[in-house]
């Protein structure tokens, strides 16, 4: 006669190996403690769940930023539960909470099988703690030995619980369910720690499988926001990503499906998505100062530039310079400009457009006449020489907290910086997230390549009236650049420094740029 053992039974570590083997074919794990329809949120103690979420965040099992997923999609959240094997307290808590949710939902099974590989230590822990037989699925079936896909002692007709760390689409779960079915095992229940709420539950339900999740992702976000680990903007960006990247019908009844996809992420949220300190500082500066205006001060002398910087400083987030234009440049230039930048809270961008090999740009950036890295927070480079140019500039600027913009597109007529060139720039930026802070671009909203939203998009050639000039410069309005083209910072030159009242013109452009940004958030 088959024995029925409750999931709340204590583990026995004195049972002999012989009696354990004998029990494999006649033990069924069953939970009596609640109905099958009990809500998952009530499955375990709320304080215990909050503590687990905070611990997962602490050990970086749940991370926020910009991450390229296996599908190629860029995600603002990355869940890496492989790390929990290095934290016995977390592993034990995970296994305990997963067993608790099974009890709460009244799951019944004879044995369990972890999805390889991350779920294997979780399943092992659950098996040992609860005296439940465990099976193993081979991810790669060998062409020698027993050639089995499922290892362990079992009997056809038994019911097997599938254990997984997290579920997105449910595809990895089905990869384990199918070989279990092929050897005569029935699967009715799947338990996971985290449900990303991207359609996995609906897919499993369509295969008559019931998902038991300890942590719907919306629950994780709720706790981390409540505890001050995430901003409201970042929470909204994750919700929007989940809602926009469903793998099937969202039948979970969770709040993710109701999240509205924002037209634009706020600058403060973007600051949390970058690995470059200079970019983080710029995002926060723009948010607090309420300006996305960069002035291209292409005046004739250093003295004019310093005077202009003092007048326009209150209106701008960035002052763009061309130090090789100034015949009166001297060693005091950088210190004077940095003093004004601190006074008016703006950043300095030397538009050097480096384009040489790595070894050469090291000298051009760090020494020479201008010593650009000493005083310019931001500089830029062409990608024509390859990624070596980034390595060279980074060797000088990273330790100084500087940031690099890559020229992905240009605003001049007939430019060749487009298409494959732009995609190559995006790829190089992804390879150097600690130093590359963004791009010089004209229409990032039309890019085919995915790019991190922690990267800043800066667009030159902006005028209130649009149009062009005799030298082939093409102008766009602030509204079009920010709202339609998807840029973050407007770069304005002659429209300000050649105006009868440059300060008044800067104030007008500042308002136009900020209004365009706030409209894009609506």
């Amino acid at each position: 006669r088959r024995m029925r053992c409750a999931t709340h039974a204590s583990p026995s570590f004195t049972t002999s190996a012989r009696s354990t083997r004998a029990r494999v074919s006649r033990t069924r794990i069953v939970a009596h403690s609640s109905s099958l329809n009990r809500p998952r949120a009530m499955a375990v103690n709320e304080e215990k769940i909050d503590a687990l979420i905070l611990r997962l965040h602490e050990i970086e099992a749940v991370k926020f930023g910009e991450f390229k997923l296996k599908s190629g999609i860029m995600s603002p959240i990355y869940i890496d539960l492989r790390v929990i094997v290095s934290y016995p307290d977390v592993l034990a808590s995970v296994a305990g909470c997963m067993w608790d949710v099974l009890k709460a939902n009244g799951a019944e099974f004879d044995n369990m099988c972890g999805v390889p590989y991350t779920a294997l230590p979780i399943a092992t822990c659950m098996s040992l703690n609860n005296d439940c037989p465990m099976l193993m699925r081979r991810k790669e079936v060998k062409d020698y030995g027993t050639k089995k896909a499922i290892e362990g002692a079992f009997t056809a007709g038994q019911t097997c619980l599938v254990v997984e760390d997290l579920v997105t689409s449910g595809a990895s779960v089905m990869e384990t369910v199918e070989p279990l079915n092929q050897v005569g095992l029935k699967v009715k229940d799947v338990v996971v720690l985290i449900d990303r709420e991207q359609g996995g539950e609906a897919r499993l339900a369509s295969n008559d499988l019931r998902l038991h999740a300890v942590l719907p992702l919306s629950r994780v976000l709720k706790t981390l926001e409540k505890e001050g680990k995430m901003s409201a903007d970042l929470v909204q960006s994750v919700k929007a990503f989940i809602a926009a990247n469903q793998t099937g019908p969202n039948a979970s009844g969770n709040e993710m499906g109701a999240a509205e996809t924002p037209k634009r992420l706020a600058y403060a949220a973007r600051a949390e998505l970058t690995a470059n300190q200079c970019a983080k500082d710029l995002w926060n500066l723009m948010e607090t100062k309420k300006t996305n205006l960069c002035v291209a001060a292409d005046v004739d002398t250093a003295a004019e530039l310093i005077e202009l910087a003092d007048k326009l400083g209150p209106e701008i987030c960035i002052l763009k310079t061309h130090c090789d234009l100034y015949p009166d440049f001297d060693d005091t230039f950088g210190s004077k400009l940095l003093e004004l930048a601190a006074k008016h809270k703006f950043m300095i961008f030397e538009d050097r457009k480096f384009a040489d090999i790595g070894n050469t740009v090291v000298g051009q950036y760090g020494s020479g006449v201008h010593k650009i890295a000493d005083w310019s927070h931001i500089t830029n480079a062409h990608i024509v020489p390859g990624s070596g140019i980034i390595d060279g500039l980074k060797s000088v600027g990273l330790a100084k907290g500087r940031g690099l913009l890559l020229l992905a597109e240009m605003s001049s007529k007939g430019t060749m910086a487009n298409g494959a060139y732009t995609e190559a720039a995006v790829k190089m930026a992804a390879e150097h997230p600690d130093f590359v802070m963004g791009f010089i671009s004209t229409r990032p909203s039309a890019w085919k390549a995915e790019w991190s939203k922690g990267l800043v998009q800066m667009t030159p050639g902006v005028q209130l009236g649009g149009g062009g000039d005799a030298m082939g410069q093409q102008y766009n309005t602030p509204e079009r650049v920010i709202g339609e083209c998807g840029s973050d910072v407007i770069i304005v030159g002659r429209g300000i420094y050649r105006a009868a009242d440059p300060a008044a013109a800067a104030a007008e452009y500042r308002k136009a740029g900020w209004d365009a940004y706030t409209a894009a958030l609506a």
Side-chain angles (χ1 to χ4, degrees):
R1 185 172 61 88
R2 172 174 286 176
M3 294 176 60
R4 297 174 64 84
C5 300
T7 53
H8 56 261
S10 300
S12 171
F13 297 102
T14 60
T15 306
S16 69
R18 178 179 299 175
S19 61
T20 299
R21 283 195 300 272
R23 243 190 1 259
V24 166
S25 63
R26 56 187 176 87
T27 302
R28 166 157 287 204
I29 307 301
V30 56
H32 308 291
S33 56
S34 67
S35 72
L36 299 183
N37 296 320
R38 184 172 179 175
R40 287 179 297 173
M42 299 297 293
V44 287
N45 179 276
E46 291 294 309
E47 291 183 2
K48 184 177 180 181
I49 285 293
D50 284 342
L52 176 58
I53 291 171
L54 292 173
R55 189 76 174 104
L56 290 170
H57 181 266
E58 180 185 351
I59 66 172
E60 297 190 334
V62 179
K63 295 185 280 191
F64 302 95
E66 285 289 310
F67 306 96
K68 189 172 184 178
L69 302 181
K70 184 178 180 180
S71 63
I73 295 173
M74 298 301 295
S75 170
I77 183 171
Y78 187 67
I79 301 170
D80 181 9
L81 296 174
R82 289 167 294 191
V83 71
I84 69 174
V85 296
S86 298
Y87 300 90
D89 64 309
V90 179
L91 179 58
S93 180
V94 167
C97 287
M98 289 171 71
W99 193 262
D100 286 345
V101 80
L102 290 168
K103 278 203 312 184
N105 292 344
E108 295 186 27
F109 45 90
D110 299 297
N111 42 44
M112 67 173 68
C113 181
V115 176
Y117 291 105
T118 307
L120 293 181
I122 301 173
T124 301
C125 196
M126 292 172 66
S127 172
L128 290 172
N129 288 346
N130 300 283
D131 200 23
C132 176
M134 177 178 159
L135 309 176
M136 288 182 62
R137 175 177 80 85
R138 285 186 177 273
K139 200 165 187 178
E140 301 88 13
V141 179
K142 306 298 183 183
D143 59 0
Y144 54 86
T146 63
K147 303 180 182 180
K148 291 181 179 179
I150 303 297
E151 298 286 359
F154 60 89
T155 302
Q158 286 184 321
T159 299
C160 184
L161 169 74
V162 170
V163 180
E164 176 64 301
D165 58 331
L166 79 161
V167 64
T168 302
S169 67
S172 62
V173 170
M174 294 309 301
E175 288 175 0
T176 294
V177 170
E178 289 166 5
L180 288 170
N181 291 160
Q182 288 171 3
V183 295
L185 290 164
K186 295 179 290 186
V187 179
K188 296 179 179 178
D189 297 277
V190 178
V191 64
V192 301
L193 177 63
I194 297 178
D195 175 10
R196 285 184 63 111
E197 300 180 281
Q198 289 179 253
E201 184 172 27
R203 176 175 181 173
L204 296 179
S206 70
N207 286 276
D208 297 322
L209 299 171
R210 187 163 60 130
L211 180 67
H212 308 267
V214 175
L215 299 173
L217 186 56
S218 52
R219 179 70 170 78
V220 176
L221 302 182
K222 179 181 177 181
T223 295
L224 293 179
E225 182 179 14
K226 180 182 70 175
E227 298 296 330
K229 304 299 183 182
M230 294 179 69
S231 68
D233 284 334
L234 182 56
V235 169
Q236 179 60 27
S237 74
V238 174
K239 287 184 177 181
F241 172 82
I242 297 300
N245 290 276
Q246 291 292 304
T247 61
N250 186 8
S252 302
N254 60 70
E255 58 189 275
M256 291 296 186
E260 295 182 0
T261 303
K263 295 181 181 179
R264 191 65 157 252
L265 278 181
Y267 291 152
R270 303 277 289 277
E272 300 187 52
L273 303 179
T274 180
N276 177 262
Q277 187 59 49
C278 193
K280 191 180 294 291
D281 292 343
L282 177 59
W283 287 124
N284 288 326
L285 185 157
M286 291 193 291
E287 186 74 40
T288 56
K289 194 174 178 180
K290 297 190 180 338
T291 177
N292 52 15
L293 172 63
C294 169
V295 168
D298 299 334
V299 292
D300 295 329
T301 66
E304 289 178 81
L305 177 74
I306 296 297
E307 182 181 359
L308 191 66
D310 201 16
K311 288 181 180 178
L312 305 184
E315 307 295 339
I316 64 176
C317 63
I318 300 172
L319 179 73
K320 186 169 80 70
T321 64
H322 275 296
C323 63
D324 53 358
L325 288 177
Y326 317 135
D328 57 338
F329 180 94
D330 61 25
D331 291 341
T332 67
F333 175 84
S335 59
K336 290 177 181 176
L337 203 54
L338 284 170
E339 184 178 341
L340 291 174
K343 174 184 175 183
H344 297 300
K345 295 182 174 57
F346 64 81
M347 301 183 80
I348 305 165
F349 166 26
E350 168 53 30
D351 190 7
R352 177 60 176 78
K353 296 185 178 72
F354 290 102
D356 217 317
I357 61 172
N359 189 56
T360 302
V361 299
V362 168
Q364 292 173 328
Y365 187 33
S367 55
V369 174
H370 299 111
K371 298 180 176 63
I372 294 167
D374 288 347
W375 52 267
S376 181
H377 304 100
I378 305 166
T379 192
N380 58 355
H382 291 285
I383 63 165
V384 174
S387 61
I389 191 172
I390 302 175
D391 293 326
L393 294 170
K394 180 160 60 172
S395 71
V396 177
L398 186 61
K400 296 177 181 288
R402 305 313 190 201
L404 177 68
L405 299 170
L406 298 182
L407 285 108
E409 296 176 300
M410 296 185 71
S411 57
S412 52
K413 186 178 181 180
T415 177
M416 291 183 287
N418 51 39
Y421 184 94
T422 301
E423 292 179 10
V426 172
K427 183 175 183 294
M428 289 186 193
E431 293 168 351
H432 298 271
D434 54 346
F435 188 57
V436 176
M437 64 178 287
F439 304 99
I440 298 296
S441 59
T442 59
R443 193 180 176 85
S445 62
W447 290 2
K448 294 180 180 178
E450 288 281 345
W451 50 277
S452 166
K453 299 308 179 286
L455 294 166
V456 183
Q457 299 282 358
M458 297 178 56
T459 299
V462 178
Q463 279 197 1
L464 289 175
D469 67 11
M471 301 297 289
Q473 175 68 292
Q474 304 295 301
Y475 292 113
N476 281 305
T477 65
E479 294 81 5
R480 183 172 185 273
V481 166
I482 299 293
E484 181 182 335
C485 298
S487 192
D488 304 305
V489 177
I490 58 172
I491 303 176
V492 184
R494 283 166 274 184
I496 292 177
Y497 72 81
R498 285 188 179 175
D501 186 344
E508 186 177 9
Y509 273 98
R510 175 187 184 177
K511 183 178 186 305
W514 194 256
D515 286 350
Y517 161 67
T518 55
L521 290 176

